[in-house]
Amino acid sequence: MSGILAGKRILVTGVLTDFSIAFHVARLAQEEGAEVVLTGFGRLAVVERAARRLPKPAPVVELDVQNPQHLDSLAARVGEHLGEGVGLDGVVHSIGFSPQDALGGNFLNTPWSSVATAVEISAYSLKSLTTALVPLLDRRGGSVVGLSLDSQVTWPMYDWMGVAKAALESTSRYLARDLAERDIRVNLVSAGPVKTVAARSIPGFAHLVRVWDERSPLEWDINDPEPAARGVVALLSDWFPKTTGEIVHVDGGLHAVGG
């Protein structure tokens, strides 16, 4: 099969419905020649249903990034779907969660327990996921790509999730530094808002949409996750062999506009 990911094996986290960026990453990766394995948390039946909507049904491995047993066994469980002695070429981190009291204008009153949950799941998990899969990535080198929302500035109602995204961005740079000797690249795609299940849980999501409607140089469609997914797939490919520690903005150019 031809394509920019021909012959590659990619793990994609965060697929919940076919509206998610992660789902379209998995779809495009398959269309570009990759074998794909998904992870799911909680409602596995929902993830499995989404997996069946891909061009080729993909296996689903359970993963709770707060569960040490899940992380410790992840490489072995993913390896069962790759074949003996076969490694991974790419990992997609599309995992984020924040308790409701850490969002929605409650920044000054959010307790540490909620902040810690947001940071652990949304940022630290990039490190824990990647290091759990190093035994598979070590065999071939590869590319780890995460999804962010530009954390250089504040966003309406985003609050501690914005802080968690800043931690994610810093984590990606340290991982890029420490994994380079293994030929593992680590990059992020900073995407504009997309109307996903996760986005609908953010109080004030409509405020974000209005910012893009008013300021994005290129027209931005919140119902179209494919531009961000294409950015992820490009970074998974061999077309960026010496790019690591980078944040690629797929946001219609809004990050470049001051006012």
Side-chain angles (χ1 to χ4, degrees):
M1 183 181 290
S2 62
I4 64 172
L5 297 183
K8 294 191 180 297
R9 292 164 176 84
I10 308 294
L11 180 78
V12 181
T13 67
V15 172
L16 188 57
T17 71
D18 50 9
F19 293 106
S20 67
I21 295 174
F23 175 88
H24 288 274
V25 170
R27 174 182 62 80
L28 288 168
Q30 287 186 341
E31 291 174 356
E32 291 297 327
E35 294 292 325
V36 171
V37 178
L38 307 180
T39 72
F41 169 63
R43 295 178 291 172
L44 287 184
V46 176
V47 181
E48 290 165 350
R49 190 179 308 127
R52 291 192 291 271
R53 296 192 184 106
L54 291 168
K56 178 182 176 182
V60 178
V61 174
E62 185 177 15
L63 175 62
D64 174 358
V65 292
Q66 292 183 294
N67 186 323
Q69 288 75 34
H70 281 197
L71 291 165
D72 289 345
S73 64
L74 183 61
R77 290 184 292 126
V78 171
E80 293 174 0
H81 298 285
L82 301 178
E84 186 175 353
V86 177
L88 279 173
D89 300 282
V91 176
V92 178
H93 178 279
S94 181
I95 299 170
F97 172 78
S98 175
Q100 285 298 300
D101 62 354
L103 298 164
N106 194 46
F107 186 84
L108 296 179
N109 300 310
T110 304
W112 167 244
S113 58
S114 295
V115 174
T117 297
V119 172
E120 180 182 8
I121 296 176
S122 306
Y124 183 77
S125 64
L126 177 63
K127 177 267 178 189
S128 56
L129 173 70
T130 302
T131 53
L133 293 169
V134 160
L136 295 177
L137 290 165
D138 249 352
R139 298 174 187 176
R140 304 161 71 103
S143 174
V144 178
V145 185
L147 285 162
S148 187
L149 175 67
D150 193 345
S151 65
Q152 299 177 90
V153 296
T154 66
W155 297 107
M157 307 294 182
Y158 207 48
D159 293 355
W160 286 101
M161 192 62 174
V163 176
K165 289 296 187 182
L168 174 72
E169 294 181 3
S170 185
T171 300
S172 72
R173 290 187 285 268
Y174 280 96
L175 280 172
R177 180 195 68 182
D178 289 353
L179 294 176
E181 64 182 18
R182 300 173 184 265
D183 198 28
I184 297 172
R185 296 170 283 125
V186 184
N187 297 287
L188 298 180
V189 167
S190 179
V194 176
K195 196 174 182 180
T196 62
V197 171
R200 290 197 293 271
S201 70
I202 300 173
F205 180 70
H207 291 276
L208 282 178
V209 174
R210 281 199 293 273
V211 170
W212 258 262
D213 286 343
E214 294 169 2
R215 294 178 53 201
S216 176
L218 294 174
E219 183 178 358
W220 186 259
D221 183 357
I222 66 165
N223 296 304
D224 184 8
E226 185 156 328
R230 284 177 174 265
V232 173
V233 169
L235 287 168
L236 289 170
S237 78
D238 294 331
W239 285 97
F240 288 87
K242 298 300 179 183
T243 298
T244 196
E246 186 60 86
I247 300 173
V248 175
H249 289 81
V250 183
D251 64 353
L254 187 136
H255 72 283
V257 178

